[in-house]
């Protein structure tokens, strides 16, 4: 096991394309760290830089006590698991597992022990004499992981290893990976674009956008306390709902938008230092779909939001209620980046919503919500999120750079 530290790492490709921009990240010894973000955010480049498959332009990378900038991949004492398995088709499972050890002239007895232990750990004993063509996708992926395990490296680096598997198999393989990490305790850096995978696997999750670190924290803290609009929009499924709202005093502090008024509890102001400085100003407000409930089933103390149901998605354990509010979609570069929609998709969504904001509420499967019918939603206003419209930073977040507060102070 080893700590991995990226210190002010830059990676600039020919033509000036910056894949990593002053990336600072510390992966603790024995930690399962997940790098997540949309396509092109730099997560695979960061992983390949740790492995030595990409030469960084600036900064340092340390594995354990060594700076490894100038070390070739074979000398970094890491093992990689790739998306495409990279198995040798002419070799049996046993030979694939042992191949790397043989190249390193590991004693035969030691090879046999390591292969036996890895096969038992991954349930590969019945397949040791088979070749990859005779295995399922999940079995091949387990062989790829086994080949990394037998190395007994300081760290595992995994680049979207489950992306070629079907949905059901991905769930079972995630569970297997969790068990594997609990058993081995090896430092692991795992890349994925799937935020559900990131949330279920990572001890901590590093969210990247345009080569820059946005936030690194536990999955729950990323969900509950995003540092900016990008993290808020990227983490969580369905995505957070956003609207440009007025923060007003009235008879009590409230957020008003599209003809609605949601009271903002004192506890929210206490938890978000500086939010009171936005009273009388516009803010971007966010509400997670999970903070709604059908009012007939929800907490009686929650605020009410009457809507007309557009579409329902009945998922058995819950219902997704999709509806519009009479406000234009929030336009901010961070939200566009987080949702990963193309221009054509944006136009299609805008056409579907008629220029209004399309929102989603997750309600109980016992709800009577029906398409085209009115529905009163309850909203947990203690969990409202507020962002500075200019900077996109979460107002009052302890990790925000402070530009939101400066914007208010200057106005």
């Amino acid at each position: 096991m080893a700590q991995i530290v990226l210190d002010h790492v830059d990676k600039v490709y020919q033509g000036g394309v910056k894949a990593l921009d002053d990336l600072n990240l510390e992966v603790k010894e024995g930690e399962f760290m997940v790098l997540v973000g949309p396509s092109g955010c730099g997560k695979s480049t960061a992983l390949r830089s740790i492995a030595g498959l990409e030469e960084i332009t600036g900064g340092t990378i340390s594995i354990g006590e060594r700076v490894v900038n100038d070390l070739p991949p074979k000398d970094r004492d890491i093992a990689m698991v790739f998306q495409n398995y990279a198995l040798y088709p002419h070799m049996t499972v046993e030979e694939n597992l042992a191949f790397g050890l043989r190249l390193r002239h590991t004693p035969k007895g030691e090879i046999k022990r390591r292969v036996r232990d890895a096969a038992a750990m991954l349930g590969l004993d019945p397949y040791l004499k088979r070749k990859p063509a005779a295995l399922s996708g999940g079995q091949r992926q387990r062989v790829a992981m086994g080949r990394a395990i037998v190395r007994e490296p300081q760290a595992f680096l995994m680049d979207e290893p489950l992306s070629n598997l079907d949905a059901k198999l991905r769930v079972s393989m995630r569970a297997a990976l969790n068990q594997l990490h609990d058993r081995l305790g090896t430092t692991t850096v795992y890349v994925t674009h799937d935020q559900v995978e990131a949330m279920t696997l990572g001890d901590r999750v590093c969210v990247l956008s345009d080569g820059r670190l946005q936030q690194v924290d536990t999955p729950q803290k990323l969900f509950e306390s995003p540092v900016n609009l990008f993290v808020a929009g990227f983490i969580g499924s369905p995505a957070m709902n956003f609207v440009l709202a007025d923060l007003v005093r009235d008879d009590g502090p409230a957020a008003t938008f599209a003809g609605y008024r949601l009271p903002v509890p004192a506890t929210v102001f206490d938890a978000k230092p500086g939010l009171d400085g936005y009273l009388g100003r516009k803010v971007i407000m966010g509400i997670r779909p999970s903070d709604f409930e059908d009012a007939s089933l929800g907490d009686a103390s929650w605020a009410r939001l009457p809507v007309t149901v557009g579409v329902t998605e009945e998922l058995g354990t819950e219902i997704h209620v999709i509806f519009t509010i009479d406000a234009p979609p929030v336009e901010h570069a961070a939200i566009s980046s987080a949702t990963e929609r193309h221009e054509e998709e944006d136009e299609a969504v805008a056409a579907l919503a008629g220029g209004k904001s399309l929102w989603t509420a997750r309600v109980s499967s016992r709800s009577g919500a029906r398409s085209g019918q009115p529905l009163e939603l309850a909203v947990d206003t203690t969990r409202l999120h507020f962002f500075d419209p200019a900077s996109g930073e979460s107002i009052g977040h302890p990790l925000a750079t402070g530009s939101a507060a400066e914007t208010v102070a200057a106005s």
Side-chain angles (χ1 to χ4, degrees):
M1 293 190 296
Q3 180 186 50
I4 298 173
V5 178
L6 283 72
D7 186 20
H8 297 286
V9 171
D10 291 327
K11 172 62 181 179
V12 182
Y13 288 109
Q14 253 184 336
V17 177
K18 205 161 195 177
L20 297 177
D21 188 358
D22 196 32
L23 180 58
N24 293 286
L25 181 66
E26 180 182 315
V27 184
K28 300 171 186 172
E29 188 173 319
E31 184 174 31
F32 198 120
M33 172 68 78
V34 179
L35 308 184
V36 70
S39 299
C41 71
K43 55 190 184 294
S44 288
T45 302
L47 192 80
R48 290 172 63 83
S49 297
I50 296 169
L53 301 175
E54 295 278 2
E55 186 177 342
I56 60 175
T57 312
T60 59
I61 297 175
S62 303
I63 301 175
E65 300 298 319
R66 297 188 301 172
V67 173
V68 297
N69 288 29
D70 300 322
L71 286 181
K74 66 183 180 64
D75 295 332
R76 296 194 182 199
D77 197 13
I78 52 91
M80 281 200 75
V81 181
F82 296 94
Q83 177 181 348
N84 63 357
Y85 316 142
L87 303 180
Y88 297 104
H90 62 288
M91 294 184 185
T92 64
V93 168
E94 186 174 17
E95 290 166 339
N96 265 285
L97 292 175
F99 183 72
L101 297 178
R102 289 202 179 101
L103 283 182
R104 289 167 179 77
H105 306 293
T106 306
K108 287 184 179 179
E110 181 68 6
I111 292 175
K112 190 173 182 179
R113 179 192 68 78
R114 292 193 194 183
V115 169
R116 183 184 65 241
D117 290 351
M121 196 181 300
L122 294 164
L124 291 172
D125 286 321
Y127 313 111
L128 286 174
K129 301 304 178 185
R130 293 189 189 179
K131 291 184 177 178
L135 302 177
S136 68
Q139 290 162 349
R140 290 179 197 175
Q141 190 55 273
R142 278 187 279 157
V143 176
M145 290 176 187
R147 198 168 55 185
I149 289 168
V150 297
R151 291 269 310 279
E152 298 182 359
Q154 288 194 85
F156 294 132
L157 307 180
M158 301 190 180
D159 193 1
E160 307 219 33
L162 308 185
S163 60
N164 287 338
L165 306 179
D166 63 50
K168 188 175 180 181
L169 191 52
R170 286 177 78 157
V171 173
S172 62
M173 286 301 292
R174 286 204 302 262
L177 271 172
N178 267 323
Q179 291 173 342
L180 199 60
H181 184 257
D182 287 344
R183 185 167 175 179
L184 297 173
T186 306
T187 307
T188 302
V189 183
Y190 185 103
V191 160
T192 181
H193 68 277
D194 183 338
Q195 50 105 356
V196 174
E197 201 167 280
M199 299 285 277
T200 52
L201 280 174
D203 294 329
R204 287 191 301 156
V205 176
C206 167
V207 184
L208 294 170
S209 176
D210 296 327
R212 295 188 68 87
L213 188 149
Q214 302 296 308
Q215 187 174 359
V216 57
D217 215 325
T218 63
Q220 198 60 33
K221 285 185 178 177
L222 287 177
F223 183 82
E224 293 178 351
S225 186
V227 72
N228 57 32
L229 279 171
F230 179 85
V231 178
F234 188 80
I235 297 294
S237 182
M240 186 182 286
N241 305 296
F242 297 107
V243 69
L244 191 63
D246 289 292
L247 200 58
V248 298
R249 294 182 187 276
D250 287 352
D251 298 329
T256 62
F257 60 97
Y260 297 111
R261 179 185 183 278
L262 290 180
V264 181
T267 53
V268 174
F269 283 92
D270 292 341
K272 301 179 186 298
L275 181 60
D276 54 356
Y278 284 80
L279 285 165
R281 300 173 57 84
K282 289 191 179 295
V283 292
I284 294 175
M285 184 178 72
I287 307 176
R288 290 221 178 267
S290 52
D291 292 328
F292 287 102
E293 184 52 279
D294 183 323
S296 66
L297 304 169
D299 191 312
S301 67
W302 287 11
R304 276 12 189 196
L305 197 78
V307 303
T308 299
V309 178
V311 177
T312 59
E313 296 176 341
E314 300 187 23
L315 304 177
T317 56
E318 62 191 35
I319 299 173
H320 291 179
V321 176
I322 300 170
F323 60 97
T324 59
I325 62 167
D326 192 14
V330 175
E331 293 185 3
H332 198 285
I335 295 175
S336 302
S337 299
T339 54
E340 279 195 290
R341 286 206 303 261
H342 298 296
E343 189 175 336
E344 295 82 358
E345 292 175 278
D346 285 328
E347 290 172 0
V349 170
L352 182 66
K356 300 178 181 180
S357 292
L358 202 61
W359 278 21
T360 302
R362 279 174 54 186
V363 301
S364 167
S365 59
R366 295 180 290 122
S367 170
R370 294 293 178 268
S371 296
Q373 299 298 310
L375 175 69
E376 189 170 52
L377 292 170
V379 186
D380 183 358
T381 53
T382 65
R383 298 174 67 85
L384 295 175
H385 299 262
F386 295 98
F387 304 89
D388 181 85
S391 69
E393 290 187 352
S394 179
I395 299 168
H397 196 289
L399 298 179
T401 62
S403 56
E406 289 164 11
T407 301
V408 175
S411 61

